[in-house]
Amino acid sequence: MCGIVGYVGGQNAAPLLVEALGRLEHRGYDSAGVAVVGSQLKVTKRAGRVRDLADVLPKRMSGRVGIGHTRWATHGPATDVNAHPHTDTSGTVAVVHNGIIDNAAALRARLTDQGVALASDTDTEVFAHLVALSGADTLEGKVIDALDAVEGTYGLAVVHADFPDRVVVARNGSPLLVGVGEKEMFVASDLAALVRHTATVAHLADGELATVTAAGFTTFRRDLTRTQTTAREVDVDPSAYEHGQIDGRPRMYTEMLEQPASVERALRGRLDERFATAHLGGLEMDARSLRAVRRVKILGCGSAYYVGQMGASLVEELARVPADAEAASEFRYRDPVIEPDTLYVAVSQSGETIDTLLAVEEIKRKGGRVIGLVNVVGSAIARACDGGIYLHAGPEIAVASTKALTTMFVGFALLALQLGRVRDLSVADGRRLVAGLQALPAQIEQVLDGEERIAEAAKALAAAESLFFVGRVRGYPVAREGAQKFKEISYRHAEAYQMSELKHGPLALISPEVPTVAIVPDDELTDRNVAALHEIDARGGPLVVITHAGVDLGELKAERIDVPRNERELDPLLLTVPLQLLAYHAALTLGHDVDKPRNLAKSVTVE
Ligand code: AGP
């Protein structure tokens, strides 16, 4: 979603800002712009891609201080006028903003009454006018006056022609980082925009502001009391953040292929063969507090929620602790009951998803304990949790999540194993699971080796306007994730259903034009699943079955894709991987840009 960059230093800001915006492209956006303070304040912004902005950037847009933005429309369509930065009427102040100003309508009315002519449909523009109208004599004072009037979430960066040496930034709910260079400083909403320039980074906390000049930065609160936020070295490999295709393949493809390595990283140092358990030091919970857990509640959004459902099954099966997953986006709106002996688990690749972050804050406000399963180190959700498990998937650039999801599954398996072993999970079962987890990287490799066959099946599916993905019990969240991946990048209608529920309604839709992708592992439910497939087959519905070698599909007319056997509890991971390839090849067949699906953002930072 929206991205912020900023620069103060000795270089010409505009090209540097545009380059940094390009590094935020994966977040999803529909317009881009920059503001630079030189002899005067100059703004260039455009609906469209960052390269469209680069094409129209005036050659003489010089200045050593500036801010830039990629916008994902919330208030008003994607037009040049609605793109950020927004300015006041005189063009003295420029503002870029992530998040939403909730009382924008009231503020717009108030400004209009005061005779201010608003140029755009956005909530952000009001902030530029409020800064300009402030009587404070410092930029910090003006920004604070404006903040006093707004309600909502924000990451903000402000420049002012009368204060040409600085960028002032403020954070409430939307991430903001300050990067420290050699006599130059950077601002960004995402580490990806900074890594080419510096690995010394400070994360602002909610409620903090910062003044950023070429000499350094200071942080403070709205009452002007100084805070002690400092910059730290982050362990990053800049090349992992490079965008664009690798060897002519989309990022999603590269990321799918990385899964054996990322799963291995997620497991590294966390399995204990001697005691047949897992050790997750980051949980910061000893055996006694783990034993005191009476329930596990998992919260995430989109695919993270579906993997959360897989995680809930793992916890119930291995630890025999009641567990369920819920969409974080729903949870926080229903005034949830928070129980002291429930372990809440927030799961997120980006660590920025606002609904998940707000769910964490709601739990903590009510005194609950919440741990995070998060990929991005130091992200807002990771920092808001009481402890947690980093996924070690590495940077994920493609909007359609793949390698982060498989490491989430591994994180849940490790958590369930550790919870189980402090309870009644036997040594023998513990050993079985440890061995199963260790086998996963090589088995994922095997699934990926079957790409050609999966690509063939995908071509046929791409022709259908509408598809079902079905599974039962452990297979159902796999079906949900498969349908999600398929619809995200192929734009086909893909609906997930419990296999058991088919004959209670959706069977009416089955026809030769509506294919079904069925998840049929070799487990205690195989016979029931195969019986349901016969009902589909009898109505002429084409079938693709993701299953294990040896499962007897009888006379079914079905395209079958076999995945390697592991322990039953771990099946969902290996069943998920072919569904990623299926979605990918269907999208390629249809000619879509798989890395930048329409209307979607990598990090969903607005409610
Ligand atoms: C996955 O392919 C999707 N792009 C999306 O559902 C994603 O999983 C969801 O928005 C949650 O993101 P997060 O893991 O960064 O919190």
Side-chain angles (χ1 to χ4, degrees):
M1 256 172 189
C2 305
I4 288 176
V5 294
Y7 177 76
V8 189
Q11 303 186 55
N12 195 18
L16 199 142
L17 292 168
V18 171
E19 192 272 338
L21 288 178
R23 290 174 184 276
L24 298 183
E25 282 201 298
H26 66 287
R27 296 172 63 90
Y29 71 104
D30 43 46
S31 47
V34 291
V36 168
V37 188
S39 53
Q40 52 183 308
L41 183 96
K42 288 186 186 148
V43 176
T44 303
K45 53 189 194 172
R46 280 289 175 280
R49 316 304 289 180
V50 172
R51 62 174 173 272
D52 301 324
L53 174 71
D55 287 347
V56 296
L57 209 62
K59 290 233 164 20
R60 285 198 289 193
M61 193 175 184
S62 59
R64 301 184 193 288
V65 173
I67 53 178
H69 193 259
T70 46
R71 172 177 187 251
W72 191 84
T74 57
H75 292 58
T79 60
D80 292 354
V81 172
N82 285 338
H84 298 211
H86 287 282
T87 56
D88 67 311
T89 316
S90 68
T92 311
V93 179
V95 176
V96 293
H97 166 221
N98 289 354
I100 292 186
I101 297 176
D102 292 333
N103 60 338
L107 290 172
R108 287 176 68 90
R110 197 175 96 194
L111 288 165
T112 309
D113 287 348
Q114 290 173 358
V116 174
L118 292 160
S120 74
D121 306 313
T122 67
D123 53 341
T124 304
E125 186 191 344
V126 298
F127 200 82
H129 294 291
L130 291 170
V131 172
L133 289 170
S134 161
D137 51 12
T138 61
L139 180 53
E140 292 73 8
K142 289 175 187 295
V143 171
I144 290 169
D145 282 350
L147 289 178
D148 285 343
V150 306
E151 290 160 20
T153 52
Y154 49 79
L156 280 161
V158 184
V159 289
H160 194 299
D162 297 342
F163 304 92
D165 67 333
R166 64 195 52 207
V167 178
V168 173
V169 298
R171 176 196 159 141
N172 181 38
S174 290
L176 265 187
L177 290 76
V178 178
V180 180
E182 264 305 301
K183 295 190 187 143
E184 58 182 1
M185 301 287 294
F186 305 86
V187 168
S189 53
D190 188 315
L191 194 60
L194 298 181
V195 289
R196 199 168 152 257
H197 303 285
T198 179
T200 311
V201 171
H203 289 82
L204 293 198
D206 276 341
E208 253 184 339
L209 294 93
T211 300
V212 185
T213 66
F217 72 102
T218 50
T219 56
F220 52 94
R221 296 199 171 275
R222 256 152 72 173
D223 60 7
L224 287 174
T225 52
R226 292 283 291 270
T227 55
Q228 300 308 318
T229 298
T230 50
R232 298 205 172 145
E233 289 294 311
V234 289
D235 182 18
V236 288
D237 167 12
S239 68
Y241 289 85
E242 289 301 325
H243 280 206
Q245 302 200 333
I246 297 180
D247 299 332
R249 295 283 204 165
R251 285 305 292 240
M252 180 187 173
Y253 187 76
T254 329
E255 288 167 4
M256 284 189 293
L257 260 50
E258 272 175 59
Q259 291 178 107
S262 54
V263 164
E264 198 162 328
R265 276 198 302 276
L267 288 169
R268 196 171 297 152
R270 289 170 163 172
L271 287 175
D272 177 340
E273 290 186 50
R274 186 158 167 237
F275 291 102
T277 187
H279 286 305
L280 296 166
L283 290 185
E284 290 173 25
M285 291 172 79
D286 58 15
R288 187 187 292 259
S289 45
L290 284 173
R291 277 191 70 86
V293 171
R294 291 278 156 271
R295 184 180 294 278
V296 173
K297 176 94 190 171
I298 297 163
L299 298 156
C301 292
S303 291
Y305 160 46
Y306 303 141
V307 182
Q309 288 193 310
M310 300 179 201
S313 297
L314 280 163
V315 169
E316 291 208 338
E317 287 181 286
L318 302 185
R320 304 306 297 155
V321 174
D324 74 324
E326 184 174 340
S329 46
E330 290 282 304
F331 174 81
R332 65 172 283 258
Y333 286 112
R334 61 173 182 79
D335 196 14
V337 176
I338 301 301
E339 298 159 311
D341 49 8
T342 293
L343 179 64
Y344 295 89
V345 185
V347 55
S348 173
Q349 187 286 128
S350 61
E352 272 185 45
T353 303
I354 193 80
D355 287 314
T356 311
L357 178 61
L358 293 173
V360 170
E361 287 172 357
E362 175 73 1
I363 295 162
K364 294 199 68 179
R365 193 179 65 75
K366 293 179 172 172
R369 176 186 198 105
V370 51
I371 60 162
L373 250 73
V374 176
N375 192 35
V376 176
V377 176
S379 55
I381 294 171
R383 281 148 27 101
C385 288
D386 297 304
I389 306 167
Y390 278 123
L391 302 173
H392 301 308
E396 190 177 69
I397 304 292
V399 168
S401 185
T402 54
K403 64 173 180 168
L405 300 181
T406 39
T407 57
M408 283 173 193
F409 182 89
V410 168
F412 282 119
L414 292 168
L415 175 66
L417 179 58
Q418 189 169 345
L419 261 180
R421 289 288 292 128
V422 296
R423 292 160 175 270
D424 300 325
L425 189 74
S426 69
V427 177
D429 276 333
R431 288 214 176 102
R432 192 170 61 75
L433 268 302
V434 168
L437 284 164
Q438 286 167 331
L440 283 174
Q443 291 185 315
I444 296 172
E445 197 80 65
Q446 266 177 271
V447 178
L448 294 169
D449 286 346
E451 181 185 348
E452 222 169 288
R453 189 186 169 94
I454 299 172
E456 280 307 309
K459 273 185 203 145
L461 293 181
E465 287 293 333
S466 195
L467 308 89
F468 278 109
F469 282 70
V470 297
R472 195 188 294 257
V473 189
R474 282 184 214 112
Y476 177 54
V478 176
R480 294 189 87 182
E481 168 50 18
Q484 164 94 338
K485 208 93 304 159
F486 205 89
K487 69 184 109 180
E488 262 186 310
I489 55 174
S490 77
Y491 315 149
R492 295 303 199 202
H493 172 237
E495 187 171 352
Y497 236 89
Q498 291 102 331
M499 191 96 83
S500 53
E501 283 286 303
L502 274 182
K503 54 180 168 298
H504 298 289
L507 212 50
L509 293 173
I510 296 296
S511 75
E513 283 73 47
V514 181
T516 299
V517 179
I519 314 303
V520 185
D522 186 3
D523 62 12
E524 64 283 10
L525 299 167
T526 310
D527 291 347
R528 287 192 188 285
N529 284 333
V530 173
L533 298 190
H534 278 285
E535 290 164 10
I536 295 171
D537 190 45
R539 285 150 186 90
L543 278 164
V544 174
V545 185
I546 317 293
T547 185
H548 289 122
V551 167
D552 182 6
L553 298 181
E555 300 298 301
L556 274 180
K557 290 186 289 306
E559 191 62 50
R560 91 181 264 165
I561 295 161
D562 291 342
V563 302
R565 276 165 209 283
N566 195 306
E567 299 303 326
R568 285 180 177 180
E569 298 89 336
L570 303 178
D571 277 345
L573 186 147
L574 292 164
L575 293 162
T576 295
V577 178
L579 300 180
Q580 301 170 345
L581 283 165
L582 212 53
Y584 171 81
H585 281 286
L588 282 194
T589 305
L590 292 163
H592 300 318
D593 179 348
V594 290
D595 282 346
K596 296 193 191 76
R598 69 183 183 202
N599 303 338
L600 296 181
K602 180 68 179 160
S603 303
V604 182
T605 50
V606 293
E607 287 175 71

